[in-house]
Amino acid sequence: MKMKHIIFAVAILTTGLFGCETKVTPPTSVMDTPEYHYKNGLRYLDRDQVDEAMKSFDRAVALAPESPLGYIGKGLAFGKKGDFKAAFENMETAQDYEKTGIESNIGMIRLLSMQRGEDWLKNSEKEFKAARDKDPNSAPLHYYMGLAYKVSFDFDKAAEMFRRVLDMNKEYTTEANAEWAVIQKIQRAAPGSQIGKQIALIDKIDRADVAALFVQEMDIEKLFTKRGPKTYDTAFKAPTEATATKMTTETVIKMEPATDIKDHALKPSIDTVLQLQVRGLEPGPNHTFAPDKLITKAEFALMLEDILIKVSGDEKLATKYVGAPSLFPDVRTDNYAFNAIMVVTSRGFIEADKATGEFRPGDAVSGADALLAIREFKNQLKF
C-alpha cells in the first residue's frame, strides 16, 4: 500500500515538474529561427508596420522561449504602440535571459528613448556603460546612444557617438553618416529656442512648424519692425461725433482668418505670420490655415523671398530672374516658384543637390535645413 502511495506521489511530482516546462515550437524550415524572425521584425518596425513586427517577434519567442531576441523585439513593438508597461516587462525579461550579449542593453536604450520618462537619459547612459564594458566596439550600441543624445538635444555628444560609428567602419555606417550630417546642420544653425531644437529633429516640417521657426528663430516681428517697409494708414475714417451726426450701425461679426488653428499648440506663431501676411503662409479662401500640411522646398523658397523683399524694400527681387535661364535641371523657367528659387539659391539660403545639381522643388523640408536657411538669412542681414 505504501509503495502505491509513493508511486502516486512521484507521478504527481513528475507531472508538476514537466508540466511547468515552457513549450517550444519546432521550426518548420532551416530559416525558421529566432534570429531570422527577430531581424525580420526589426525591418517591419523600421517601416512602422508594428502588427507585422509583433507577429515575427511572437514567432521568435515561440521558437526559443529562453532567448532574449523575441522579448527585445516585443518590447520595442509595445513601445511603438505606447504600451510602455508591457514594453518594459518584455525588455526586462530579455535582460534576464541574456547572459553575455548586449542586445538587450541596446533595446533598453531604444525603449527609454521612446518613452523619455523620468531619468531616462541617465538610465540610458547606465545601459550604455554596462554594454560597453562587454563590447567596447559595438557600432549599434554607439549608434543608438547617439540617437538618445540627439533627442535629448545634446548634439555634441550625439555627434561624438556618430563619429565613433564612422571610425569603426562596420555596421550602421550609412545611418550614422546621415545622422552626423543632420547634427552638423543643427550645430551650425544653433537654434536658440526650445521649439527650434525640437523642430530641428523633424524630418519633414509642416506649415505650423515653419511659422514657429519664423517667429522663434528668425524673430520675424522684430525683423519687420526694424527693417521692414514703412506703412501709412490711408484707410477711410468715419466722421466723429465732433464733425458729424452720430450714426448707429449694425454690428458685423468678423470671421477669424483661420478657423482650424483654435486649439493648435503653435497658434500664437501662426497668428503672427498671418498678421504679417507672409507669402505662402496665407489662409485659404475657406479660412483654413492647414497647419499640418507639409511644406515643399519651392514653397519655403517663396516664403523666404517674400520676407527678404519686405525687409530689404527691394521690390525688384520679385522679378529679378524673369527671363533668365534655369540653373537646375528639374526647375523650368515657368515654374511658379522659379524666381524665388533663383533668389534663395543665389543667396545661399537653400542649396541644390551637390551631386546632381537638382533643386527638387517638390521635396519636403527638414527642420535642420529650415534652421540653417534662417541662420544664413539672419547672417546676411546682420540681424
Side-chain angles (χ1 to χ4, degrees):
M1 189 70 176
K2 286 184 179 180
M3 182 60 68
K4 287 184 179 180
H5 283 299
I6 292 171
I7 293 171
F8 181 67
V10 171
I12 292 175
L13 181 61
T14 304
T15 302
L17 287 172
F18 285 98
C20 292
E21 283 188 354
T22 306
K23 185 179 179 181
V24 178
T25 301
T28 58
S29 69
V30 176
M31 294 297 294
D32 191 16
T33 65
E35 292 78 13
Y36 169 81
H37 292 291
Y38 173 66
K39 291 180 180 178
N40 199 46
L42 292 180
R43 281 192 287 271
Y44 279 127
L45 276 188
D46 288 339
R47 298 196 292 265
D48 289 325
Q49 295 175 265
V50 183
D51 291 336
E52 291 301 316
M54 191 67 84
K55 291 177 185 177
S56 291
F57 298 138
D58 282 336
R59 181 64 180 173
V61 170
L63 289 167
E66 295 187 3
S67 165
L69 297 181
Y71 300 104
I72 294 169
K74 285 168 68 72
L76 295 174
F78 277 121
K80 283 261 191 180
K81 286 175 173 283
D83 186 351
F84 288 104
K85 183 177 183 296
F88 281 106
E89 285 175 354
N90 275 276
M91 203 63 74
E92 287 164 6
T93 299
Q95 291 195 322
D96 289 339
Y97 282 129
E98 189 164 51
K99 305 304 180 186
T100 58
I102 64 169
E103 197 72 26
S104 62
N105 298 107
I106 297 172
M108 189 64 83
I109 291 171
R110 295 179 66 178
L111 186 55
L112 288 164
S113 299
M114 282 187 209
Q115 187 196 37
R116 296 177 220 170
E118 186 178 357
D119 294 328
W120 75 270
L121 184 59
K122 182 179 178 181
N123 291 330
S124 294
E125 289 175 326
K126 286 181 180 178
E127 295 289 340
F128 174 77
K129 289 173 184 175
R132 188 180 57 186
D133 288 342
K134 296 180 184 178
D135 186 355
N137 296 311
S138 168
L141 175 64
H142 287 79
Y143 175 74
Y144 283 108
M145 194 64 224
L147 291 182
Y149 282 129
K150 177 185 172 184
V151 296
S152 71
F153 309 124
D154 193 335
F155 301 123
D156 290 338
K157 287 185 178 179
E160 181 184 339
M161 289 292 160
F162 295 136
R163 278 198 302 268
R164 182 82 177 91
V165 176
L166 294 175
D167 290 341
M168 292 177 192
N169 196 25
K170 299 191 295 185
E171 305 165 86
Y172 287 89
T173 302
T174 302
E175 295 88 343
N177 190 54
E179 291 292 345
W180 191 40
V182 171
I183 294 297
Q184 285 182 308
K185 287 181 181 179
I186 296 172
Q187 289 176 317
R188 284 162 55 199
S193 65
Q194 189 65 20
I195 189 68
K197 292 177 182 178
Q198 292 171 351
I199 294 175
L201 303 183
I202 300 175
D203 292 330
K204 299 176 181 180
I205 61 173
D206 56 33
R207 286 164 59 85
D209 294 329
V210 78
L213 288 180
F214 284 154
V215 173
Q216 298 290 327
E217 294 295 325
M218 184 181 278
D219 203 356
I220 192 172
E221 281 185 290
K222 185 177 179 181
L223 186 62
F224 272 40
T225 302
K226 188 176 180 180
R227 300 287 296 270
K230 294 180 180 179
T231 57
Y232 301 93
D233 187 1
T234 58
F236 171 75
K237 295 290 189 297
T240 62
E241 287 187 51
T243 59
T245 305
K246 185 176 180 180
M247 296 179 290
T248 303
T249 59
E250 293 183 8
T251 301
V252 177
I253 300 175
K254 187 178 180 181
M255 183 179 287
E256 291 290 328
T259 58
D260 58 344
I261 61 170
K262 181 180 178 181
D263 299 317
H264 199 285
L266 301 179
K267 183 180 185 298
S269 294
I270 297 171
D271 284 337
T272 298
V273 296
L274 287 175
Q275 183 182 359
L276 297 175
Q277 299 180 344
V278 176
R279 185 185 180 193
L281 287 175
E282 310 96 334
N286 58 348
H287 289 267
T288 58
F289 182 75
D292 300 326
K293 181 179 179 292
L294 299 180
I295 66 165
T296 65
K297 288 181 70 177
E299 291 168 339
F300 190 48
L302 282 173
M303 297 171 198
L304 291 175
E305 180 197 47
D306 182 63
I307 297 170
L308 181 62
I309 290 171
K310 287 174 178 173
V311 299
S312 68
D314 187 358
E315 297 287 345
K316 293 180 181 178
L317 282 174
T319 55
K320 182 175 181 179
Y321 292 97
V322 173
S326 176
L327 301 179
F328 313 103
D330 59 339
V331 179
R332 289 164 50 110
T333 56
D334 59 354
N335 184 294
Y336 76 100
F338 171 72
N339 190 82
I341 291 170
M342 295 291 284
V343 168
V344 298
T345 52
S346 67
R347 298 271 180 146
F349 300 155
I350 304 177
E351 295 182 346
D353 187 283
K354 288 182 172 62
T356 65
E358 296 173 337
F359 182 78
R360 297 176 183 169
D363 278 9
V365 180
S366 72
D369 283 330
L371 276 164
L372 205 55
I374 289 171
R375 172 62 59 186
E376 183 60 28
F377 187 100
K378 292 178 70 174
N379 286 343
Q380 289 191 25
L381 290 177
K382 294 181 173 58
F383 175 73

